[in-house]
Amino acid sequence: MARWGVLSGVAAMFLACAAGGASAETRSVPAAEMAPVVSGAEVSDNAAMPVPEGFRWRVTRTEWTASDERAFGEFVTAIGESNCRTFDECLKGPWNIYRASDPKGMFFYADCADLPYALRAYFAWKNGLPFSYVSGVAPVGRSTDLRYSRYGNYAYKRVDVVPAVPGAFPNARSVLNAINNVVSSAMYRFAPDLTGGELFDFYPVKIDRGSIRPGTVIYDPNGHVAVVYSVDEDGRIRFIDTHPDNTLTRGSYGKRFVRASPPMGAGFKNWRPMKLVGATQEADGTWHGGRVVLARDSEIADWSDEQFFGTEMPRAKQWQSARFAHKGEVLDYYDYVRAVLAKGDVGYDPIFETRLMVRELCDDLHYRAQAVDVAVKAGINKRPQPARLPDNIYGTHGDWETYSTPSRDARLKASFVEMRERIARFIDMAEANDPKLEYKGTDILRDLGAAYREEAGACHVSYAASDGSVRPLTFEEARARVFDFSFDPYHCPERRWGARDPKELATCSDDAVKTAWYHAEARLRNQIDRTYDVKMGFSLAELQAGAKGSGWDMPPDTDVAAVFFGKESDYASIGE
């Protein structure tokens, strides 16, 4: 196990915020079959290379207490409830009570996998707490990429952020930089009952209001990590997440976070309790030496694998068969999570729920506009179209990872699909006089339609076209053409926003080759599942021929008007 002095070198290895793969139940730990991830940390001589005062990580306490966990949750909540839009802005704004002690010139970066670690490390630094993290993982069985390992991963190396000798304070900036360069979604991909190797930093939690709280991590094995910042009284979970362009976004938990086989480790996780043992305290109150010890599963009161195997006895043998019961009623998993986390019996206010879904989707569209704008400003759309797509469009590296939007777009599409499904469900609940529906009106179709139309009308999105002009886009226009949004950063901004009208496309500078690529990528745009285990290094000809793994022939339905009227209808008549 490594211990920090000053980190003077970090492996130049960037693993993107992504993961995925097929299901399996194996939890044994054979030898690794691929190159592992390691930290590349070097412990240097602090006497020869002293840490500047402002960056010194002084460990003044030996363990995290319940009060520390509550304070950490409050720290995360303050960021979530702020209006900051990048991770750097979030740590430099008034909602961060520790910002005044940060050295001048610090820049804070985190993609989605980094975010939980960066928040935790920063808080520990500011509060004199010990910190430790997994710095080496390898796959269980064979895998071509740790982020997508079919049977999950195991940890074999850790780094303790503790002075080795008196005065050899770790450099907090170096620790945060190491997290950026070392941590990937591979660190979240492990079976709940994995034995062997080092302990992972997290453990799967019981679905309970006291366990899923601000600071809880949500891992989507299809390639994303988020952090809970609030749990509403009605059981709705709010989260923050970050992206490779350092933007920070917000949302509500739902079907965009998929369940998967236990070895993939999907779902809710909390940080393991940790304490520093065997250390020596100096006269100034700081500790050095010793090692950080993490609590084992058997020592954690709310450790649970119920999110994988359900609540019913006997336990389901396969995760797909898991059943989730609450107060004698078997529920869909996502309904179960919300019901258990609600204060009292969960109720669904269809008008409020519809308004919230539209607002959150509007926010997602604004976030997407920022991401596309970053790519355009970098001039990616001016470069020639590569001869092939990356091996996997959802998880790769380089410019494609930084500037493309296939994963972001897939989550956006899934949310539009889910909105339609939930509105249809509210209508069915009203017809069935379901007591869970909190609706006192007399015409739910009219009232839902009016709420949808009002919120959609209040959503104003725009993008910068190729000629620099600003193009407005209504919410309903975005909804109608979301499956035409190009995820490909080499395309003009008009196509990035699914332009169809020749007048809107008139300013697009794409040549015939890029135009052909745009049309050939339509099947990939039609799918909302992020298939990380599929090879996608397609050529233009292969896409045009409909190669295996190149997407769906037709997109899912997002037409809200059809829910209200039973067929495609003029948006203007919704709610009238």
Side-chain angles (χ1 to χ4, degrees):
M1 181 179 295
R3 185 183 299 123
W4 280 84
V6 179
L7 180 70
S8 62
V10 179
M13 178 182 295
F14 176 77
L15 286 181
C17 188
S23 62
E25 301 290 336
T26 304
R27 292 184 270 288
S28 60
V29 183
E33 297 287 348
M34 63 170 290
V37 173
V38 295
S39 70
E42 298 175 5
V43 179
S44 61
D45 184 354
N46 285 60
M49 187 175 162
V51 177
E53 177 65 29
F55 295 106
R56 294 180 180 180
W57 188 322
R58 290 178 168 85
V59 178
T60 58
R61 298 155 66 195
T62 58
E63 64 181 300
W64 289 66
T65 66
S67 295
D68 294 322
E69 294 292 352
R70 284 193 296 271
F72 175 65
E74 292 167 358
F75 167 67
V76 173
T77 297
I79 290 174
E81 293 181 345
S82 74
N83 61 356
C84 61
R85 297 286 181 164
T86 69
F87 186 60
D88 186 59
E89 179 187 351
C90 290
L91 289 190
K92 291 178 178 176
W95 35 82
N96 176 16
I97 62 174
Y98 306 108
R99 68 189 185 283
S101 62
D102 290 334
K104 291 182 179 180
M106 280 199 76
F107 177 79
F108 299 100
Y109 173 85
D111 69 11
C112 74
D114 299 335
L115 181 63
Y117 284 88
L119 290 170
R120 191 77 168 183
Y122 180 88
F123 181 87
W125 169 34
K126 296 301 180 179
N127 288 276
L129 292 162
F131 185 64
S132 178
Y133 64 93
V134 167
S135 59
V137 299
V140 175
R142 304 180 67 89
S143 178
T144 58
D145 195 315
L146 291 162
R147 299 166 297 170
Y148 320 143
S149 52
R150 181 170 184 163
Y151 303 111
N153 299 319
Y154 68 94
Y156 69 87
K157 187 175 183 180
R158 301 190 60 84
V159 170
D160 288 352
V161 184
V162 177
V165 297
F169 302 112
N171 185 322
R173 179 168 59 183
S174 296
V175 175
L176 292 171
N177 287 342
I179 286 171
N180 294 155
N181 286 279
V182 174
V183 169
S184 80
S185 55
M187 275 67 174
Y188 303 86
R189 198 175 184 85
F190 58 91
D193 56 354
L194 180 69
T195 58
E198 297 278 352
L199 288 171
F200 275 93
D201 299 310
F202 308 96
Y203 67 92
V205 300
K206 180 177 177 59
I207 306 300
D208 182 85
R209 191 172 179 89
S211 297
I212 297 178
R213 56 183 186 262
T216 295
V217 173
I218 315 172
Y219 172 54
D220 175 5
N222 276 337
H224 205 54
V225 183
V227 178
V228 174
Y229 75 84
S230 177
V231 180
D232 295 349
E233 290 193 358
D234 63 0
R236 183 181 292 103
I237 300 169
R238 314 272 190 155
F239 66 81
I240 54 176
D241 53 359
T242 47
H243 308 274
D245 60 5
N246 209 31
T247 55
L248 183 141
T249 57
R250 297 162 179 82
S252 295
Y253 178 75
K255 292 183 179 179
R256 68 175 79 183
F257 291 92
V258 302
R259 294 185 66 236
S261 66
M264 294 183 186
F268 300 99
K269 306 173 187 285
N270 279 342
W271 287 89
R272 288 183 182 274
M274 62 174 64
K275 61 182 177 180
L276 178 62
V277 300
T280 302
Q281 189 174 31
E282 296 299 305
D284 63 357
T286 62
W287 294 83
H288 70 274
R291 61 190 180 92
V292 176
V293 175
L294 276 63
R296 297 193 168 276
D297 295 346
S298 60
E299 300 170 329
I300 302 173
D302 62 347
W303 181 97
S304 174
D305 58 3
E306 69 172 350
Q307 55 189 307
F308 303 101
F309 298 107
T311 60
E312 300 291 88
M313 294 295 179
R315 302 290 297 278
K317 294 182 179 180
Q318 298 292 327
W319 67 274
Q320 300 97 324
S321 303
R323 287 160 54 89
F324 298 89
H326 180 63
K327 295 184 177 180
E329 181 181 7
V330 176
L331 301 171
D332 166 85
Y333 173 72
Y334 300 92
D335 290 339
Y336 171 79
V337 170
R338 184 160 174 183
V340 171
L341 296 187
K343 288 185 176 180
D345 293 333
V346 68
Y348 298 91
D349 179 340
I351 308 304
F352 174 76
E353 299 270 348
T354 297
R355 290 184 181 277
L356 181 61
M357 286 188 288
V358 175
R359 290 172 191 170
E360 290 189 340
L361 278 166
C362 184
D363 285 342
D364 288 340
L365 290 169
H366 283 289
Y367 298 143
R368 185 180 190 276
Q370 294 174 11
V372 172
D373 189 52
V374 168
V376 171
K377 288 180 177 178
I380 307 301
N381 60 304
K382 301 292 186 181
R383 300 179 188 176
Q385 183 84 37
R388 287 185 174 274
L389 290 176
D391 285 344
N392 189 285
I393 63 172
Y394 302 106
T396 182
H397 53 80
D399 286 342
W400 185 275
E401 177 67 25
T402 303
Y403 299 113
S404 70
T405 56
S407 293
R408 183 193 294 264
D409 289 354
R411 291 190 295 272
L412 179 66
K413 295 167 190 174
S415 295
F416 270 110
V417 172
E418 184 177 8
M419 177 177 66
R420 185 186 189 279
E421 293 174 346
R422 290 181 65 186
I423 290 175
R425 181 185 176 196
F426 295 148
I427 295 171
D428 291 341
M429 292 173 73
E431 292 176 350
N433 294 316
D434 192 319
K436 293 190 182 71
L437 193 71
E438 297 178 349
Y439 174 68
K440 304 300 182 183
T442 58
D443 190 338
I444 193 168
L445 289 175
R446 181 197 64 202
D447 294 343
L448 279 175
Y452 178 87
R453 185 178 182 186
E454 181 180 351
E455 293 297 335
C459 179
H460 303 289
V461 182
S462 63
Y463 73 90
S466 298
D467 63 356
S469 62
V470 176
R471 302 283 174 84
L473 197 66
T474 69
F475 181 85
E476 185 61 15
E477 284 174 332
R479 195 277 312 158
R481 64 202 222 183
V482 66
F483 286 94
D484 293 320
F485 287 179
S486 175
F487 52 74
D488 193 326
Y490 296 95
H491 294 163
C492 66
E494 291 84 354
R495 285 207 165 100
R496 296 299 303 274
W497 287 98
R500 303 168 180 168
D501 191 317
K503 292 182 179 179
E504 187 177 357
L505 280 169
T507 52
C508 176
S509 58
D510 286 358
D511 58 19
V513 172
K514 289 189 177 184
T515 298
W517 272 95
Y518 173 77
H519 292 298
E521 289 171 352
R523 297 181 73 249
L524 287 172
R525 292 195 298 271
N526 285 343
Q527 71 179 39
I528 60 175
D529 294 337
R530 287 153 282 165
T531 49
Y532 291 90
D533 57 339
V534 174
K535 290 291 186 181
M536 293 180 173
F538 302 117
S539 67
L540 176 59
E542 289 168 337
L543 286 175
Q544 291 172 329
K548 182 180 179 181
S550 62
W552 301 350
D553 291 333
M554 295 294 293
D557 195 356
T558 64
D559 186 11
V560 175
V563 176
F564 296 121
F565 298 99
K567 57 182 177 62
E568 282 198 30
S569 179
D570 183 1
Y571 164 71
S573 63
I574 296 176
E576 293 183 348

